[in-house]
Amino acid sequence: MNTLFKRHFMLTAGMILLSFALLAVAFVSLSYQYSVRQQRENLDEKASYVGALAGQLMYRNLLIENENFENYLAAAARLIDSDVLLCQADGVILFACDEGEVNWDWKGRAIPASVLEQMSSSGFYTGMSDLNIYSGRRFVSGVPISITIGGTVYLYGYAFVSSSAENLTEMWRVFATIFFFTAVVVLCVAFISSSLFSLQQTKPLKDMTDIVRRFGMGEYDLRVNDCKRNDEVGELARAFNAMAESIASSEQRRSEFVANISHELKTPMTTIAGFADGILDGTIPPEREREYLQTISDETRRLARLVRRMLDMSKLQSGELVLSQTEFDINEVMAQVLISLEGKINSRGLDVDARIPDSATMVWGDPDAVTQVCYNLLDNAIKFSTPGTVIGVAITPRAGKAFVSVRDTGETIPAEELPFIFDRLHKSDRSRSLDKEGVGLGLYLVKTILNNLKETITVHSEDGVTEFVFTLTLSC
């Protein structure tokens, strides 16, 4: 598999190798050329010195066969640590000093014509040549030997100085060895550090991959441990852990939802089935059939309400039920809901304290959805109010919003229950004991509708008084 670690390592290794290859070529080329140029310049100076010395000696009539002439040039050859050759203008060697000693074996040999041609055309020679006397090519530099007599310059011959290329090659080999040894060490360090860095970068990604794979098998308690890093990987790890928390929470809520809805469906269905079987098999006496049929009817309606609210909730969550934004009077909506619930209010002996403005309070929203919100909140208030108490309803325009409150007097909702009161199928302890018809979706549906309208709702419960307050945006 072409892993991220492999790609990162190969890219880093390739860049390092390419960099060192280019650096090596540049180093070898520049160092060799510089060494050759230095060698040639040095030989040119030596050749000029030998040529001037030979010209002075000849000017003083010290001929080549003269012992003093030989000694002078041999001493000069040893001083400059190079071979010295003197030849006539036609290239015939007259004198040679090899490694500081006079070598008459080379006398009479001819300098190559190519060397003489360059000497005659440019007045000097610099290059590599065996001069027809050496077994291999050497660095050679040559200058003319001129004698000035009576203001006239006479060309007597040429002086050549040669030096072996082995010293230069050895020096270059030492430089190259040092360079390549350093390069190998640096490459090893670079590869090791690159490998460690790549492993450090890819380890959290591998952990995330493994956790995602195990997430798919239901292990929702796993987290990435590299979230304390202050880089992109640490940020990704923290985001991943936050996502894992959200997934685990969602899965827990889903499990709770399935369990709760199963419980809510099982109870009325068991009641319906039990009473229906009792009527069919004659267990229930005929005079009580109507009573049990009424119970079956009530439980059937409860199932219908549960299914209807679940469908509404599903449509809201999926976006299938799009809430319109139209202008309407919230005062009129609240009055209509109060009228529709008048029977329930009277049956529990409740009074209503309605503080609704006389003039219209125009707001933006979906009238049908807001009617559902008001109905659910008032229905809850009626069910949980102590008989003989007062239900408070108020609409207060303020700062571009209409604040709608519904208040009841009954049992206080425990503080630990308030954060979960809008969760689907959540029932507090008091609702389990008092609400025999509720399905636990009313307040969740209220919260979902207001969220889709981009409005808010809050709840406050203290000293037996519970108040819900939601907002709507004023149209003017």
Side-chain angles (χ1 to χ4, degrees):
M1 182 174 65
N2 192 13
T3 62
L4 181 62
F5 168 76
K6 182 179 179 181
R7 290 200 301 269
H8 185 274
F9 179 80
M10 294 301 295
L11 177 62
T12 304
M15 292 298 295
I16 293 175
L17 288 174
L18 179 61
S19 300
F20 270 100
L22 294 176
L23 184 62
V25 171
F27 172 79
V28 170
S29 177
L30 292 177
S31 62
Y32 184 77
Q33 291 179 6
Y34 175 79
S35 300
V36 170
R37 184 172 65 251
Q38 287 292 104
Q39 183 77 352
R40 288 178 176 177
E41 290 176 355
N42 191 22
L43 281 181
D44 289 342
E45 293 179 0
K46 292 178 179 179
S48 298
Y49 169 74
V50 172
L53 177 62
Q56 289 294 328
L57 294 176
M58 291 179 182
Y59 179 76
R60 295 175 183 177
N61 294 320
L62 291 177
L63 301 180
I64 294 177
E65 291 80 3
N66 189 297
E67 184 177 353
N68 290 331
F69 185 90
E70 297 175 5
N71 292 335
Y72 280 132
L73 289 181
R78 287 191 293 271
L79 182 64
I80 64 176
D81 192 25
S82 300
D83 293 352
V84 174
L85 292 89
L86 302 180
C87 67
Q88 299 178 150
D90 59 359
V92 177
I93 296 176
L94 300 175
F95 173 83
C97 187
D98 179 20
E99 296 181 356
E101 300 295 334
V102 178
N103 188 345
W104 292 110
D105 294 338
W106 291 347
K107 183 177 181 180
R109 296 188 183 183
I111 298 296
S114 59
V115 175
L116 296 178
E117 290 177 1
Q118 183 175 337
M119 288 288 295
S120 61
S121 61
S122 60
F124 65 91
Y125 176 81
T126 300
M128 298 284 292
S129 176
D130 58 4
L131 296 178
N132 289 337
I133 57 175
Y134 294 108
S135 59
R137 293 165 61 83
R138 296 165 62 96
F139 289 106
V140 177
S141 182
V143 295
I145 302 174
S146 302
I147 301 176
T148 303
I149 301 176
T152 302
V153 178
Y154 295 94
L155 178 63
Y156 184 80
Y158 301 105
F160 291 95
V161 176
S162 68
S163 177
S164 173
E166 292 182 359
N167 293 335
L168 178 63
T169 303
E170 184 63 27
M171 180 183 66
W172 181 82
R173 286 176 181 172
V174 172
F175 285 159
T177 301
I178 294 174
F179 173 82
F180 285 111
F181 176 77
T182 304
V184 169
V185 173
V186 172
L187 284 173
C188 291
V189 173
F191 287 155
I192 293 173
S193 60
S194 175
S195 300
L196 294 177
F197 178 76
S198 298
L199 288 174
Q200 183 186 22
Q201 295 298 103
T202 56
K203 182 181 179 300
L205 301 180
K206 290 182 178 179
D207 292 343
M208 292 180 199
T209 302
D210 181 62
I211 291 174
V212 169
R213 188 178 296 110
R214 295 169 67 181
F215 253 59
M217 295 183 290
E219 299 182 39
Y220 299 110
D221 58 337
L222 300 175
R223 300 294 181 268
V224 179
N225 297 323
D226 295 88
C227 57
K228 294 183 179 180
R229 295 174 47 162
N230 295 321
D231 55 8
E232 290 81 356
V233 175
E235 184 177 356
L236 177 61
R238 288 188 291 273
F240 184 88
N241 286 344
M243 181 194 68
E245 292 285 351
S246 178
I247 292 174
S249 178
S250 297
E251 180 61 22
Q252 182 179 1
R253 289 196 299 269
R254 185 192 67 82
S255 299
E256 292 177 354
F257 174 76
V258 172
N260 290 335
I261 201 67
S262 298
H263 173 77
E264 294 294 337
L265 289 173
K266 180 178 67 175
T267 302
M269 290 176 68
T270 301
T271 301
I272 293 171
F275 288 166
D277 291 341
I279 292 172
L280 290 174
D281 60 19
T283 303
I284 297 175
E287 62 273 12
R288 300 195 62 184
E289 287 183 359
R290 182 175 181 83
E291 176 187 349
Y292 288 107
L293 285 174
Q294 183 61 48
T295 302
I296 292 174
S297 177
D298 292 341
E299 292 298 325
T300 303
R301 289 190 178 92
R302 184 179 174 212
L303 282 176
R305 288 196 302 273
L306 175 61
V307 173
R308 184 173 62 253
R309 289 191 177 183
M310 289 182 62
L311 289 174
D312 291 341
M313 179 185 65
S314 177
K315 289 180 180 179
L316 283 171
Q317 288 181 328
S318 64
E320 180 181 348
L321 184 60
V322 180
L323 300 181
S324 62
Q325 287 285 342
T326 58
E327 188 179 18
F328 65 96
D329 184 6
I330 183 60
N331 298 347
E332 181 180 352
V333 168
M334 183 61 75
Q336 290 176 352
V337 173
L338 284 170
I339 292 172
S340 68
L341 292 172
E342 184 177 0
K344 286 187 176 182
I345 294 172
N346 293 333
S347 66
R348 292 184 61 82
L350 302 173
D351 290 330
V352 177
D353 178 18
R355 299 182 182 182
I356 300 175
D358 295 332
S359 59
T361 304
M362 305 303 294
V363 296
W364 288 107
D366 187 317
D368 294 334
V370 174
T371 299
Q372 184 68 47
V373 170
C374 295
Y375 185 93
N376 288 356
L377 292 178
L378 282 169
D379 188 52
N380 268 5
I382 293 169
K383 284 187 293 185
F384 300 131
S385 292
T386 302
T389 58
V390 178
I391 293 177
V393 176
I395 299 175
T396 307
R398 185 175 68 249
K401 293 285 187 178
F403 290 83
V404 183
S405 68
V406 177
R407 185 181 69 256
D408 70 83
T409 302
E411 293 186 17
T412 303
I413 301 176
E416 61 272 14
E417 294 283 348
L418 289 178
F420 309 103
I421 199 167
F422 294 107
D423 289 355
R424 57 187 174 186
L425 292 179
H426 175 78
K427 287 185 175 184
S428 64
D429 290 339
R430 72 165 188 162
S431 69
R432 288 201 180 276
S433 61
L434 296 176
D435 183 14
K436 303 302 182 181
E437 299 179 355
V439 294
L441 289 175
L443 291 179
Y444 178 77
L445 192 59
V446 166
K447 180 72 171 178
T448 304
I449 290 173
L450 291 174
N451 283 345
N452 287 353
L453 291 173
K454 295 181 174 54
E455 301 293 349
T456 61
I457 183 170
T458 57
V459 59
H460 178 75
S461 185
E462 188 176 0
D463 298 329
V465 178
T466 301
E467 183 177 24
F468 290 86
V469 181
F470 68 91
T471 62
L472 292 171
T473 302
L474 294 172
S475 62
C476 59

